Amino acid sequence: MSINLNAASFSYLRPKGRVIKAILPTTLSIQPGEFVAVVGANGSGKSTLAKLLNGLLLPTNGEVLIDGHNTKDADNKIFAPRQVGLVFQNPDNQLTATIVEDDVAFGPENLGIPPEEIRARVDRALKTVGMTEFKDKDPHNLSAGQRQKIAVAGILAMEPKYLVMDEPTSMLDPVGRRDILETLSELRQKSSIGIVYITHIIEEIVEADRILVMTEGKITAIGAPREILTDESLMEMASLYVTRPTELARRLAKKGVPVSKDLITVEEVVKELCSLK
Amino acid sequence: MSGRSLALGQYYAAKSPLHALDPRVKLFLSLTIVTALFFVDNLAVLVGAAFLVPVLASVAKVPFKWVLKGVRPLVFILFFTFLIHLFLTEGATLFAIGPLRATGEGLLKGIFYSTRLILVILFSSFITLTTSPVQLADAIESILSPLKVIRFPAHEIALMMTIALRFIPTLLTEAETIMKAQKGRGANFDSGNILKRARSFIPLLIPLFISAFRRADELALAMEARGYAGGSGRTRLHSLKITPRDVAWLFLGLLIIFSVVGLSWRL
């Protein structure tokens, strides 16, 4: 059981016969329970990849299999979004209802789940994101971070096996961002949901199992955070910056302080510095 | 133009028997009340019926003042109705302004018709006061759903209503933001003649429209990602069900309405 891309590629057709190759043939496998981060500059194909993963876009060539089901098969029109949830960037443009719990219910309603079961799922999803007390509120009167949590709850209520998040924090203030990240880490601890997390904020993904780096429609690198985030030339090629702890360790090393250069979190740097005499 | 203070359809959230009543029953009852009001031709009975408004307000747990707010936008029409009847009814002259003669019969008729109009407004406002827009959309979908047989898009219309309601405050806030941005660059929205003012709204409307289309596009994607594939096969979290209590309220309502109409015919 996994999401598999078999030489899947995707091209957008533009007027006058222009073809934009958003994703070059890519082979990739995402396991349930895994936390995969996808980074890359704007226009590197991250969002297109996200839409390929849940059947919102169908590959131009090659195939995408979700637990063995091809997204191209008409029978899987409902199956794909049921298995792979997708949270978008702008919380405002994902919510359909004027009351929080009605919105969270939208997905399960589409799946034709019986009302009592929807009730239970909505309550559970709102509890997971910590928004139970807001269930009767109008999302318009909540903060952007809270609205994004509602959007996450709306997807969780569909009980997908995989959750794809496309820059879910990029339109949020620091508090909203922290909120979403806390929800995410709690989700990872309490469930075995597979997460694909797209971002260009490196600090958010130091705990990922794997990081994919995308440049111009290709996966240019794939590996553990320490491997990827400390590879200076790779990061530069993908128009990414290194994390502040990495930068600090690197500068210290340059000045002759004996610290390791592949530190990625604040805790690691603190530990390393405290062990110096 | 403040997006935040917008009270849509002036819904007043509370827990009352009237709020809990099935929205379809409420729609039916208020239609019956409005029709019945046109059958009442006795001013005394009409004034008597007016006393049911505060009673209904207290049952609905809506402050009476809040209910009266519903009349405010229509004050001009009410006043106009009153004047027309006052001056254009034949009868004994009360006083005259130039060629216009106010008559005693006109005064009575004016009071009667304005009272009737006020009552129509007040009674029908209980629908929007005690029913959330979403419930109202659900009720409309349910009432129109028999027409699905002739391919009438009942579900789509209800969904459109809900989404429109959902995006009105969002777009109002956005309009405010764009307006501020344009003002910051020297745009002037509130001076000059009507034509000039209308033209000054173009730089506001164009970005607003573009953004609305972009939002619509993203929303469509997000809905598809949440498994939306049209109305068939969908279930609802709050499916409308007529309970014995709804039936009891329905009969109580009809009893009151018919006795008021009956009373006015007796007199």
Side-chain angles (χ1 to χ4, degrees):
Chain A
M1 294 289 113
S2 55
I3 305 179
N4 288 300
L5 270 68
N6 295 334
S9 67
F10 187 82
S11 307
Y12 287 102
L13 285 174
R14 286 282 175 264
K16 292 180 194 159
R18 270 201 313 140
V19 174
I20 297 172
K21 290 179 179 165
I23 300 279
L24 299 172
T26 299
T27 297
L28 172 70
S29 165
I30 292 159
Q31 307 303 321
E34 195 182 20
F35 179 17
V36 181
V38 181
V39 293
N42 289 337
S44 59
K46 299 179 308 235
S47 293
T48 309
L49 179 70
K51 288 171 195 154
L52 280 178
L53 288 177
N54 87 329
L56 216 47
L57 292 178
L58 300 174
T60 316
N61 286 305
E63 55 184 15
V64 176
L65 302 177
I66 300 168
D67 292 349
H69 298 259
N70 194 328
T71 54
K72 271 184 184 164
D73 293 345
D75 302 347
N76 297 330
K77 259 280 184 216
I78 291 284
F79 179 80
R82 188 198 284 259
Q83 292 296 97
V84 186
L86 181 51
V87 174
F88 294 85
Q89 194 174 42
N90 189 342
D92 278 339
N93 299 349
Q94 299 175 67
L95 305 183
T96 56
T98 47
I99 290 171
V100 166
E101 64 172 12
D102 285 347
D103 185 79
V104 177
F106 183 76
E109 286 176 342
N110 290 334
L111 301 180
I113 286 157
E116 317 79 62
E117 169 73 10
I118 297 181
R119 177 80 265 163
R121 283 183 176 209
V122 168
D123 291 345
R124 234 178 298 149
L126 282 173
K127 196 167 169 237
T128 307
V129 300
M131 291 294 288
T132 305
E133 57 180 308
F134 297 97
K135 69 182 167 90
D136 298 322
K137 295 275 182 290
D138 182 343
H140 184 70
N141 297 327
L142 303 178
S143 73
Q146 288 172 321
R147 267 178 285 185
Q148 190 64 295
K149 287 208 282 186
I150 302 300
V152 174
I155 296 298
L156 291 180
M158 295 170 75
E159 301 191 342
K161 274 172 79 177
Y162 306 89
L163 178 63
V164 181
M165 301 175 98
D166 188 0
E167 301 195 24
T169 61
S170 66
M171 300 194 67
L172 308 182
D173 60 12
V175 178
R177 170 175 301 161
R178 201 190 53 208
D179 250 16
I180 288 292
L181 292 173
E182 275 169 9
T183 305
L184 191 67
S185 75
E186 209 164 301
L187 198 61
R188 287 180 47 223
Q189 281 164 18
K190 286 182 185 163
S191 72
S192 59
I193 196 166
I195 292 170
V196 178
Y197 190 88
I198 296 171
T199 187
H200 46 235
I201 302 164
I202 304 301
E203 279 81 3
E204 295 181 346
I205 52 165
V206 289
E207 284 172 24
D209 296 319
R210 282 193 293 164
I211 295 180
L212 308 184
V213 181
M214 291 195 69
T215 26
E216 291 167 1
K218 275 191 312 233
I219 295 177
T220 36
I222 186 162
R226 194 173 308 284
E227 214 177 296
I228 302 283
L229 298 180
T230 56
D231 186 335
E232 218 166 335
S233 59
L234 176 68
M235 297 293 275
E236 196 167 323
M237 187 184 71
S239 321
L240 296 164
Y241 58 90
V242 296
T243 64
R244 269 180 288 179
T246 313
E247 181 72 25
L248 176 64
R250 197 167 286 162
R251 285 197 195 178
L252 285 173
K254 225 178 242 170
K255 296 251 170 173
V257 183
V259 290
S260 159
K261 274 204 273 186
D262 57 356
L263 304 176
I264 53 174
T265 66
V266 177
E267 288 77 25
E268 286 172 357
V269 174
V270 171
K271 214 170 140 199
E272 185 97 356
L273 289 179
C274 287
S275 67
L276 292 176
K277 287 278 162 63
Chain B
M1 195 185 288
S2 165
R4 274 159 296 278
S5 65
L6 188 84
L8 267 178
Q10 48 170 357
Y11 174 62
Y12 188 90
K15 278 193 162 51
S16 82
L18 219 53
H19 284 77
L21 194 58
D22 188 290
R24 289 168 298 181
V25 173
K26 272 189 270 189
L27 268 175
F28 177 74
L29 276 178
S30 75
L31 267 175
T32 319
I33 292 175
V34 169
T35 318
L37 281 171
F38 283 95
F39 282 101
V40 174
D41 47 12
N42 185 303
L43 183 59
V45 175
L46 213 53
V47 173
F51 284 101
L52 288 175
V53 176
V55 173
L56 207 55
S58 77
V59 172
K61 293 186 182 155
V62 179
F64 187 48
K65 259 191 183 164
W66 190 282
V67 179
L68 289 181
K69 264 194 199 166
V71 183
R72 206 184 288 158
L74 296 155
V75 165
F76 177 75
I77 292 176
L78 284 169
F79 191 59
F80 195 67
T81 311
F82 178 72
L83 288 186
I84 293 257
H85 285 291
L86 181 62
F87 288 110
L88 296 183
T89 313
E90 293 290 321
T93 310
L94 270 183
F95 61 91
I97 309 168
L100 291 172
R101 283 188 315 119
T103 62
E105 284 82 350
L107 182 65
L108 273 180
K109 242 181 151 180
I111 292 174
F112 177 77
Y113 283 106
S114 342
T115 312
R116 179 186 272 173
L117 210 55
I118 291 175
L119 288 185
V120 166
I121 297 162
L122 288 180
F123 279 113
S124 51
S125 75
F126 277 100
I127 274 279
T128 48
L129 282 169
T130 63
T131 318
S132 74
V134 176
Q135 269 187 313
L136 209 53
D138 284 352
I140 288 169
E141 174 172 1
S142 155
I143 291 168
L144 294 179
S145 61
L147 297 177
K148 278 181 189 164
V149 185
I150 56 161
R151 295 221 183 150
F152 184 82
H155 161 74
E156 285 77 4
I157 285 177
L159 186 71
M160 271 164 57
M161 277 175 61
T162 320
I163 289 176
L165 287 168
R166 150 76 189 78
F167 275 92
I168 285 171
T170 308
L171 289 176
L172 277 179
T173 313
E174 182 151 28
E176 230 177 316
T177 313
I178 296 172
M179 213 160 168
K180 276 183 196 147
Q182 308 287 40
K183 270 187 184 162
R185 287 184 280 171
N188 191 348
F189 289 108
D190 20 48
S191 67
N193 59 27
I194 275 209
L195 208 70
K196 219 172 176 183
R197 252 197 265 182
R199 202 176 300 150
S200 73
F201 271 91
I202 293 174
L204 168 69
L205 290 178
I206 290 176
L208 194 61
F209 264 89
I210 292 173
S211 147
F213 279 115
R214 208 194 50 235
R215 282 179 190 280
D217 216 29
E218 274 183 39
L219 181 69
L221 261 183
M223 284 168 66
E224 210 182 318
R226 292 169 75 179
Y228 181 71
S232 61
R234 274 193 104 217
T235 47
R236 300 306 309 265
L237 169 60
H238 304 289
S239 42
L240 296 175
K241 256 192 216 114
I242 303 271
T243 62
R245 222 183 39 181
D246 291 322
V247 178
W249 275 95
L250 178 65
F251 280 111
L252 181 66
L254 289 178
L255 188 70
I256 296 174
I257 295 166
F258 285 130
S259 36
V260 169
V261 175
L263 188 66
S264 92
W265 283 359
R266 274 288 180 80
L267 291 172

